């Protein structure tokens, strides 16, 4: 709870002025979130007394908890400023509300000013860098002048941001409107409307026509797009195809002199958009009655509107070209793909499939041959796809090395066509170039009409996974859609679980094969949901890595590990515990600091900790990971290389790697009784480990045969269900007591 005081005063009052007219009053919404009701009453009273620019009045809303504030924010989308108490029902309630506003409610526009009655509780630098907060003030410093300044400046900023957002939305609408007029038919519709309006101005109309041509060569290129009334038979003809004496003469004069020609019974209007697209336009209207000077003046004024219309159409076509076309390659781009998917009808959705292709080794190609060469490759691939795929297929460049194709779901991808789409030869600069691709086939009717952005992101994610697994062709299924939906749901649940610290750890014993003594434990993360079900670590760790939660997760698990180790040490078991860390953790500057601080706060000797990192992670960025591992070794923590033999550790690095032990992966141990190759691999790892003084741990031991074979082969330590499954600390202590007696 915030600290209460006797009374509140906002001093240095601003002189009062004349009350503005109600018709001129603007309204700004301000939300005060404060659990100290006395302070809030004083704050609201002062806000009501403020005289703001442009006769602005404040519409003040109040909440006394983060929960109340969330409810108000969900219904009032136009709140411009939040005056937010840091400490309310919980010490960090205000800070968590900021995350809710920005991340869950998705409100990036509202201005947030933190207020605190406890100076030093949340230092300004720390808060401003960690959260999207606009200002931070101590309540004691908030006088009326300062309050006036804060409200005025933040509300002006909110107005600017809101106007910019509206302009952005307007641009989107303009771009979508461009789609509807960027065709011959829509241009004809526009000119039909123009012809009708000219007829309205004149009061009578005999007929009209609209010609368009290239302004650089109009006499040969100009042709009739729209014709009505007495000119209907001319629609579709070129200007040179008809010689109608006076009309032809008037058209020639307008084109030659690039001006309007207005005669008593005919109006010929000339327009051009040379600076945009080198087009010229002629509009002709015949009148059955003589045109008066008043009509001519009206037509001249109206012609300016027509000119603006043609300019807008040309500009919108150009905007469409820039927004939906790759600027260098003139190929439909990602924006085009999103628009095509988003604008599909339900029937189109049911009848369309999305193919996505990734060019393999593209980045290596760019590094070797340069940007220009790879752009030529992409152009050649695009033209090749257009030729290979059925007529009507819509091909776009959806990423820097990905192509997307929209085609009918009824079309069958034959093995021959799949072969051409995954391995294709194109000609680049006169030389044959062979490209291989990873191909994803996704029917849109398996996706429950998700947004275009989500579909494209989902396809790219699946394509990336297929590429990493060296799968050349992957077919998306309803099952995969359900899995993605589950992962997305679990991601939100996992975020809350981590925030609330509800993950737990289990410890699995490690036993010396020669003496039978317990020589260590491995700490393993466990997630039990509220309904009592467990989520597999393989699943939630992958989700944490993909969503950026892995560091928070691993920090929480390390803290839980330290709690378990503290219990063991206090009971007299000074046995090392290993914990897992990802390459994301190791490369993050705060992770090392967090581990070092935990060691100090729990007062645990560093030699009782063993950091496990996988071989693949270690070698993925060897130099940097090596430096990070060395810092932990300096602390006194030992390093273990996990899943050894499954990655791509090179002999050039194994002799220098910072590690004290290596773990033989369970995939080799499980095959010992039926696969001689596994024996050979394990023997090789054992010899390599002994050569470089590594302690060797075998995991996944479940049978006496595996235990005996590894013992005879010279393995040092065993871990697996033959000894014990992972146990919570209470059960582990009971197991230790029983095991030691045996």
């Amino acid at each position: 709870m915030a600290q209460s005081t006797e009374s509140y005063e906002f001093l240095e009052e601003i002189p009062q002025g004349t009350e503005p007219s109600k018709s001129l009053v603007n309204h700004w919404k301000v939300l005060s979130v404060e659990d100290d009701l006395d302070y809030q009453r004083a704050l609201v009273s002062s806000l009501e007394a403020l005289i703001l620019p442009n006769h602005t009045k404040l519409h003040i809303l109040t909440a006394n908890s983060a929960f109340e504030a969330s409810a108000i924010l969900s219904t009032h989308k136009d709140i411009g400023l939040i005056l937010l108490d840091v400490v309310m029902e919980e010490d960090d309630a205000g800070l968590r509300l900021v995350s809710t506003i920005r991340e869950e409610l998705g409100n990036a526009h509202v201005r947030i000013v933190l207020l605190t009655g406890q100076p030093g509780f949340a230092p300004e630098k720390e808060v401003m860098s960690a959260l999207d907060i606009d200002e931070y003030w101590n309540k004691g410093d908030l006088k009326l002048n300062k309050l006036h300044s804060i409200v005025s400046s933040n509300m002006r900023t909110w107005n600017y941001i809101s106007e910019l957002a509206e302009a952005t939305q307007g641009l989107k609408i303009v771009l979508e409107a461009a789609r509807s007029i960027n065709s011959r038919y829509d241009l004809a519709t526009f000119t039909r409307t123009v012809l009708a309006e000219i007829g309205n101005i004149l009061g009578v109309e005999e007929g009209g026509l609209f010609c368009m041509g290239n302004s650089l060569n109009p006499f040969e290129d100009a042709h009739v797009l729209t014709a009505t009334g007495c000119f209907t038979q001319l629609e579709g003809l070129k200007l040179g195809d008809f010689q109608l004496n006076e009309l032809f003469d008037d058209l020639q004069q307008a084109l030659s002199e690039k001006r309007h020609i207005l005669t008593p019974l005919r109006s010929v209007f000339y327009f051009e958009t040379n600076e945009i697209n080198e087009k010229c336009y002629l509009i002709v209207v015949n009148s059955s009655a003589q045109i008066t000077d008043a009509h001519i003046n009206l037509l001249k004024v109206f012609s300016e509107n027509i000119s603006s219309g043609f300019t807008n159409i040309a500009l919108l076509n150009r905007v469409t070209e820039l927004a939906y076309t790759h600027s260098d390659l003139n190929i439909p781009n990602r924006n085009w793909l999103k628009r095509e998917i988003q604008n599909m009808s339900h029937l189109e959705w049911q009848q369309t499939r999305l193919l996505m292709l990734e060019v393999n080794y593209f980045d290596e190609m760019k590094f070797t041959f340069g940007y220009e060469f790879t752009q030529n490759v992409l152009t050649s691939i695009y033209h090749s796809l257009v030729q290979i795929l059925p007529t009507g297929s819509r091909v776009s460049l959806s990423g820097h090395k990905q192509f997307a194709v929209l085609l009918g779901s009824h079309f069958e991808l034959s093995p021959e066509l799949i072969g051409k789409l995954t391995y294709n030869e194109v000609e680049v600069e006169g030389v044959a170039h062979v490209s291989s691709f990873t191909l994803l086939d996704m029917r849109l009717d398996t996706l429950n009409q998700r947004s275009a952005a989500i579909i494209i992101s989902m396809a790219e994610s699946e394509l990336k996974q297929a590429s990493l697994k060296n799968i050349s062709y992957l077919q998306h299924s309803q099952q995969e859609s359900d899995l993605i939906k589950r992962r997305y749901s679990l991601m939100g649940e996992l975020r809350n679980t981590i925030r609330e610290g509800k993950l737990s750890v289990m410890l699995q014993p490690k036993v010396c094969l020669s003496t039978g003594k317990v020589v260590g434990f491995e700490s393993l993360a466990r997630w039990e949901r509220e309904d009592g079900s467990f989520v597999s670590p393989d699943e939630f760790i992958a989700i944490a890595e993909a969503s950026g939660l892995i560091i928070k997760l691993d920090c929480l698990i390390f803290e839980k590990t330290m709690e378990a180790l503290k219990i063991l040490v206090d009971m007299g078991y000074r046995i090392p515990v290993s914990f897992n860390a990802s390459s994301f953790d190791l490369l993050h500057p705060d992770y090392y600091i967090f581990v070092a601080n935990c060691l100090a706060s729990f007062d645990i000797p560093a030699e009782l900790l063993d950091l496990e990192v996988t071989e693949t992670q270690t070698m993925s960025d060897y130099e940097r990971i090596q430096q990070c591992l060395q810092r932990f070794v300096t602390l006194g923590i030992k390093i273990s290389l996990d899943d050894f033999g499954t990655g791509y550790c090179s002999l050039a690095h194994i002799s220098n790697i910072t590690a004290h032990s290596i773990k033989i992966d369970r995939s080799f141990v499980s095959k010992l009784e039926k696969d001689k190759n596994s024996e050979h691999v394990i023997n090789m790892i054992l010899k390599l480990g002994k050569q470089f003084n590594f302690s060797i741990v075998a995991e996944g031991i479940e049978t006496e045969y595996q235990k005996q074979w590894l013992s005879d082969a010279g393995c040092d330590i065993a871990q697996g269900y033959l000894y014990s499954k992972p146990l919570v600390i209470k059960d582990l202590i009971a197991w230790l007591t029983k095991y030691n007696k045996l």
Side-chain angles (χ1 to χ4, degrees):
M1 294 287 289
Q3 297 296 317
S4 178
T5 58
E6 297 278 333
S7 62
Y8 298 97
E9 291 182 297
F10 290 79
L11 304 178
E12 306 169 29
E13 295 208 7
I14 298 170
Q16 301 295 308
T18 307
E19 183 72 18
S21 167
K22 287 187 178 179
S23 62
L24 300 176
V25 171
N26 297 315
H27 289 277
W28 281 342
K29 284 188 181 179
V30 176
L31 171 62
S32 167
V33 186
E34 171 66 61
D35 68 343
D36 187 327
L37 300 183
D38 290 337
Y39 181 83
Q40 190 173 65
R41 278 192 290 270
L43 179 61
V44 169
S45 175
S46 297
L47 288 170
E48 290 172 343
L50 293 181
I51 297 177
L52 298 169
N54 302 322
H55 306 297
T56 300
K57 285 287 187 181
L58 296 181
H59 179 185
I60 304 166
L61 303 167
T62 60
N64 304 124
S65 69
F67 178 79
E68 285 182 27
S70 297
I72 292 172
L73 284 161
S74 65
T75 55
H76 293 266
K77 307 294 185 183
D78 56 346
I79 291 174
L81 173 63
I82 300 173
L83 299 172
L84 175 59
D85 188 16
V86 176
V87 182
M88 291 182 288
E89 62 266 36
E90 295 178 10
D91 286 351
D92 63 345
L95 302 183
R96 286 192 286 109
L97 179 59
V98 174
S99 297
T100 299
I101 293 167
R102 300 303 193 201
E103 297 174 16
E104 296 179 21
L105 297 179
N107 190 337
H109 300 159
V110 66
R111 310 292 290 172
I112 301 176
V113 175
L114 278 189
L115 303 178
T116 180
Q118 302 178 44
F121 175 75
E124 182 175 352
K125 254 186 201 176
E126 183 181 332
V127 171
M128 298 293 280
S129 62
L131 297 170
D132 187 3
I133 297 166
D134 300 294
E135 291 189 46
Y136 177 88
W137 290 95
N138 291 324
K139 293 178 181 178
D141 297 334
L142 201 60
K143 309 303 181 185
L144 192 60
N145 275 333
K146 178 54 67 177
L147 186 63
H148 180 277
S149 173
I150 291 170
V151 172
S152 299
S153 62
N154 278 285
M155 296 307 286
R156 276 196 301 270
T157 302
W158 177 77
N159 270 348
Y160 297 148
I161 293 172
S162 299
E163 288 170 4
L164 182 60
E166 289 177 10
T168 303
Q169 182 64 21
L171 177 60
K172 181 180 177 182
I173 294 171
V174 167
L175 292 175
E176 291 304 323
R179 173 183 172 88
S180 67
I181 64 171
N182 191 26
S183 68
R184 174 177 172 174
Y185 172 80
D186 288 330
L187 187 59
T189 301
F190 169 75
T191 53
R192 284 180 189 276
T193 304
V194 169
L195 291 173
E197 291 300 324
I198 291 177
N200 290 335
I201 291 172
L202 297 176
V204 288
E205 181 199 345
E206 216 176 45
L209 63 83
F210 164 64
C211 293
M212 183 177 74
N214 188 310
S215 60
L216 300 180
N217 195 10
F219 296 106
E220 294 184 13
D221 186 66
H223 54 286
V224 179
L225 288 180
T226 307
T228 64
C230 62
F231 298 122
T232 302
Q233 75 278 10
L234 301 179
E235 189 163 305
L237 297 179
K238 286 191 174 182
L239 186 60
D241 292 340
F242 57 94
Q243 304 279 336
L244 298 181
N245 298 329
E246 294 178 7
L247 172 60
F248 186 74
D249 292 342
D250 289 343
L251 292 174
Q252 277 197 316
Q253 183 180 359
L255 287 171
S256 299
E257 299 178 13
K258 298 186 176 183
R259 66 180 182 88
H260 305 321
I261 305 295
L262 303 179
T263 66
L265 295 175
R266 183 182 301 115
S267 305
V268 180
F269 297 92
Y270 174 87
F271 307 97
E272 63 181 32
T273 51
N274 271 347
E275 295 181 358
I276 303 170
N277 58 6
E278 297 181 344
K279 295 290 183 184
C280 65
Y281 316 91
L282 288 172
I283 290 179
V284 179
V285 174
N286 269 12
S287 174
S288 54
Q290 188 165 339
I291 301 173
T292 65
D293 289 343
H295 287 146
I296 291 174
N297 289 333
L298 288 173
L299 289 173
K300 285 180 178 178
V301 172
F302 187 59
S303 71
E304 294 300 317
N305 295 323
I306 300 171
S307 178
S308 298
F310 282 123
T311 300
N312 288 339
I313 289 174
L315 286 171
L316 287 169
N317 286 338
R318 181 59 179 156
V319 168
T320 300
E321 180 183 341
L322 293 173
Y324 298 126
T325 306
H326 190 286
S327 57
D328 293 334
L329 305 182
N330 198 31
I331 296 173
N333 62 13
R334 186 187 188 88
N335 289 336
W336 177 91
L337 177 64
K338 287 172 66 176
R339 184 188 64 180
E340 291 294 306
I341 295 174
Q342 206 67 49
N343 289 346
M344 284 182 186
S345 67
H346 180 70
L347 181 61
E348 286 178 302
W349 186 277
Q350 295 293 322
Q351 297 177 349
T352 303
R353 77 200 310 163
L354 169 67
L355 301 182
M356 190 167 281
L357 304 92
E358 180 172 302
V359 184
N360 296 331
Y361 310 111
F362 182 83
D363 295 326
E364 293 85 345
M365 188 198 313
K366 182 186 288 186
F367 178 78
T368 305
F369 300 112
Y371 175 80
E372 186 175 346
F373 177 82
T374 52
Q375 298 304 96
N376 290 337
V377 169
L378 292 175
T379 302
S380 299
I381 291 172
Y382 170 76
H383 292 302
S384 175
L385 290 174
V386 171
Q387 292 176 353
I388 291 172
L389 292 163
T391 303
S393 300
R394 292 166 283 174
V395 184
S396 63
L397 186 65
S398 59
H400 80 285
K401 59 179 178 180
Q402 292 92 20
F403 286 90
V405 183
L406 295 172
L407 72 164
S409 58
H410 62 276
F411 181 79
E412 183 179 352
L413 286 181
S414 65
E416 180 183 1
L417 181 56
I418 291 173
K420 288 182 179 179
L421 291 172
T422 55
Y423 189 82
N424 196 8
E425 183 178 298
V426 295
E427 188 173 295
V428 182
E429 299 176 355
V431 178
H433 178 83
V434 176
S435 292
S436 64
F437 303 86
T438 303
L439 172 64
L440 171 71
D441 180 8
M442 175 185 281
R443 290 176 59 104
L444 297 187
D445 59 6
T446 65
L447 300 172
N448 300 321
Q449 285 199 292
R450 298 172 184 267
S451 74
I454 290 176
I455 289 170
I456 296 169
S457 176
M458 184 188 304
E460 288 174 335
S461 177
E462 285 192 57
L463 193 66
K464 184 66 175 177
Q465 291 301 314
S467 177
L468 292 173
K469 296 175 182 177
N470 293 317
I471 299 172
S472 59
Y473 173 63
L474 178 66
Q475 194 168 24
H476 176 88
S477 64
Q478 182 64 50
Q479 182 182 10
E480 184 60 31
S481 289
D482 294 341
L483 284 173
I484 291 171
K485 183 178 180 181
R486 170 180 164 82
R487 292 186 202 116
Y488 188 81
S489 175
L490 283 177
M491 178 181 68
E493 195 176 336
L494 179 60
R495 181 178 285 110
N496 291 331
T497 300
I498 293 172
R499 184 187 299 128
E500 295 167 5
K502 290 185 178 179
L503 291 173
S504 61
V505 296
M506 289 185 174
L507 303 184
Q508 186 173 32
K510 299 177 185 179
V511 177
C512 177
L513 280 169
S514 61
T515 66
K517 290 184 177 181
V518 177
V519 293
F521 305 100
E522 181 179 4
S523 176
L524 300 166
R526 292 294 182 265
W527 178 13
E528 183 178 7
R529 303 168 75 188
E530 290 185 359
D531 61 4
S533 64
F534 282 87
V535 182
S536 163
D538 289 342
E539 184 175 20
F540 72 75
I541 289 174
I543 290 172
E545 289 179 340
S547 61
L549 294 170
I550 189 63
I551 294 176
K552 291 183 179 179
L553 184 149
D554 284 344
C555 285
L556 175 60
I557 293 303
F558 181 76
E559 196 168 9
K560 299 280 186 180
T561 300
M562 293 296 287
E563 291 172 359
L565 180 54
K566 180 68 173 174
I567 292 172
L568 287 171
V569 170
D570 289 346
M571 295 190 69
Y573 295 108
R574 296 180 65 83
I575 303 174
V577 176
S578 62
F579 64 98
N580 293 280
S582 70
S583 55
F584 298 102
D585 299 330
L586 298 177
L587 294 174
H588 196 286
D590 293 341
Y591 183 72
Y592 168 82
I593 297 171
F594 176 81
V595 170
N597 288 341
C598 277
L599 277 172
S601 62
F602 280 92
D603 193 24
I604 297 288
E607 58 266 22
L608 291 181
L609 286 172
D610 184 358
L611 187 157
E612 289 193 12
V613 60
T614 66
E615 172 194 353
T616 304
Q617 289 173 330
T618 305
M619 295 306 155
S620 63
D621 194 352
Y622 177 77
E623 296 296 338
R624 293 173 67 201
I625 296 291
Q626 265 291 87
Q627 293 177 9
C628 295
L629 291 176
Q630 195 57 52
R631 298 180 71 191
F632 287 94
V633 171
T634 303
L635 278 177
I637 296 174
K638 291 184 173 59
I639 308 297
S640 180
L641 202 58
D642 198 6
D643 299 341
F644 194 82
T646 61
Y648 48 85
C649 183
S650 69
L651 293 178
H653 291 316
I654 192 63
S655 60
N656 297 316
I657 192 168
T658 299
H660 301 86
S661 63
I662 54 179
K663 296 185 76 173
I664 301 172
D665 188 66
R666 68 182 64 247
S667 62
F668 300 118
V669 174
S670 64
K671 298 175 184 176
L672 273 176
E673 296 170 69
K674 53 187 176 182
D675 183 7
K676 287 292 181 184
N677 288 331
S678 291
E679 292 184 6
H680 297 323
V681 171
I682 293 174
N683 275 321
M684 180 196 70
I685 294 173
L686 289 169
K687 289 178 182 177
L688 193 64
K690 298 301 181 184
Q691 180 69 34
F692 293 105
N693 247 355
F694 291 128
S695 174
I696 311 295
V697 181
E699 61 181 3
I701 297 175
E702 297 184 358
T703 67
E704 285 290 341
Y705 177 87
Q706 294 166 353
K707 168 189 170 184
Q708 193 58 50
W709 191 95
L710 287 162
S711 179
D712 294 342
C715 182
D716 301 313
I717 299 168
Q719 178 183 345
Y721 275 44
L722 179 64
Y723 297 97
S724 173
K725 65 180 181 180
L727 301 167
V728 297
I729 188 65
K730 178 183 175 183
D731 294 339
L732 179 70
I733 292 169
W735 179 89
L736 275 170
T737 303
K738 182 178 178 182
Y739 185 83
N740 287 336
K741 287 180 180 178
L742 292 174

